[in-house]
Amino acid sequence: MPIDTDKYNIKTVARCFQILDYASEQSGPISIQDVCAALDTNSNMAFRLLASLQNSGYMTKDPYTGLYAISLKTLKLSRSALQSQEIRKVTMPYLELLWNQFPKANVNMAVFYNGEVLMLDRIDTQSTPRTYFTPGRQLPFHCSALGKVLTCELPEAELDKIIHDKGLNRYTEKTITDPKALKEELAKARKEGVARDRNEFIEGDNCSAVPVRGRDGRIIAGISVSALTSNMAVEEIEAAIPRLKDTASKISYMMGYTTQPVM
């Protein structure tokens, strides 16, 4: 019999987490007025919630501006969350083997969680300059190869909601900003088993990504090879796709997906 979790919900605690969620989505510190608007509450309650988060060490308050920001203490939670991911433990040895074959590239792994494309792992190229991804970084779903491969099999209604909620922001001249064109791109990725980003997210950067599947056959992660054109030509990124698919097949097998045998 399912448990009705709503009756065990503590509203004040829930609101504190809402503040953390809200603050994590902002580009800078937040004010009491921001929290009032975001949570539809009064200034007294907003102050008390922020004070509780400050006292617990999860937010800091600037004594001069009175603004609040998420503290470094949250990094402990992020680190624990990343370390608890079984797929990271399985994937990393295979990513290292892949990187050994393409040392001029970055090798990446991401998951689709709660409507977001999240980077979990990355092995940087030996070459410079490096791009700026870090574990836990969010990627746009519509113009990154990992985002495309992770969303290419979503039901259309769910995809439409993501397009509506997230929007199709333009990052470069190559970014796809038309919903119809994006759906055609995702259909191509679904058919070919590989998604591509050719200067769509970062100018001069190319990436190919393939899916990793779980026991039930659903996509549970994506792995990719990416590089600036100064490090690897587009043709080299294309040529890496068979190795990329082979790596994803082996990881999928280790995650319980046995429909396609690994040689």
Side-chain angles (χ1 to χ4, degrees), residues 159-171:
L159 180 60
D160 287 337
K161 185 177 187 305
I162 294 174
I163 292 174
H164 176 269
D165 293 345
K166 303 294 182 183
L168 303 179
N169 297 326
R170 182 177 295 280
Y171 292 87

Side-chain angles (χ1 to χ4, degrees), residues 70-261:
I70 293 178
S71 76
L72 293 176
K73 187 176 181 179
T74 59
L75 290 178
K76 293 183 179 180
L77 297 178
S78 299
R79 183 179 60 192
S80 296
L82 288 171
Q83 290 175 344
S84 69
Q85 294 294 315
E86 178 188 2
I87 192 168
R88 293 185 74 245
K89 301 172 185 177
V90 172
T91 301
M92 184 50 71
Y94 291 99
L95 295 186
E96 289 176 347
L97 289 172
L98 183 63
W99 181 82
N100 285 332
Q101 298 174 66
F102 305 101
K104 292 183 179 181
N106 305 301
V107 176
N108 319 281
M109 195 264 283
V111 296
F112 188 67
Y113 175 74
N114 200 26
E116 302 286 355
V117 178
L118 300 178
M119 287 280 293
L120 290 192
D121 264 316
R122 176 182 179 89
I123 304 177
D124 276 318
T125 172
Q126 288 181 342
S127 307
T128 56
R130 295 182 177 181
T131 46
Y132 54 87
F133 293 109
T134 53
R137 178 179 173 81
Q138 295 180 8
L139 301 178
F141 77 97
H142 65 294
C143 61
S144 64
L146 284 166
K148 292 176 186 177
V149 85
L150 288 169
T151 57
C152 71
E153 294 184 2
L154 292 179
E156 187 167 7
E158 186 175 350
L159 180 60
D160 287 337
K161 185 177 187 305
I162 294 174
I163 292 174
H164 176 269
D165 293 345
K166 303 294 182 183
L168 303 179
N169 297 326
R170 182 177 295 280
Y171 292 87
T172 73
E173 291 184 357
K174 298 290 184 67
T175 302
I176 297 175
T177 58
D178 176 65
K180 181 180 179 181
L182 176 62
K183 290 181 179 181
E184 291 174 353
E185 178 82 356
L186 295 181
K188 180 182 178 182
R190 186 166 59 247
K191 179 180 179 181
E192 297 182 357
V194 58
R196 296 173 175 84
D197 160 19
R198 301 292 181 258
N199 295 282
E200 295 175 46
F201 181 33
I202 299 173
E203 190 67 45
D205 188 74
N206 298 292
C207 182
S208 296
V210 298
V212 171
R213 299 184 184 275
R215 188 179 302 274
D216 60 1
R218 291 186 296 178
I219 297 174
I220 58 173
I223 62 172
S224 72
V225 169
S226 64
L228 296 171
T229 52
S230 57
N231 295 335
M232 289 180 70
V234 175
E235 293 77 12
E236 292 179 279
I237 295 293
E238 280 288 322
I241 291 175
R243 290 288 188 181
L244 190 59
K245 286 185 173 182
D246 181 63
T247 300
S249 179
K250 288 179 169 62
I251 296 172
S252 298
Y253 180 80
M254 295 300 295
M255 297 302 296
Y257 182 61
T258 57
T259 299
Q260 298 176 345

Side-chain angles (χ1 to χ4, degrees), residues 3-24:
I3 299 174
D4 182 9
T5 56
D6 286 343
K7 69 179 182 179
Y8 299 110
N9 187 49
I10 301 174
K11 191 173 183 178
T12 304
V13 175
R15 285 191 166 188
C16 284
F17 286 119
Q18 288 175 342
I19 291 175
L20 289 174
D21 287 338
Y22 172 74
S24 68

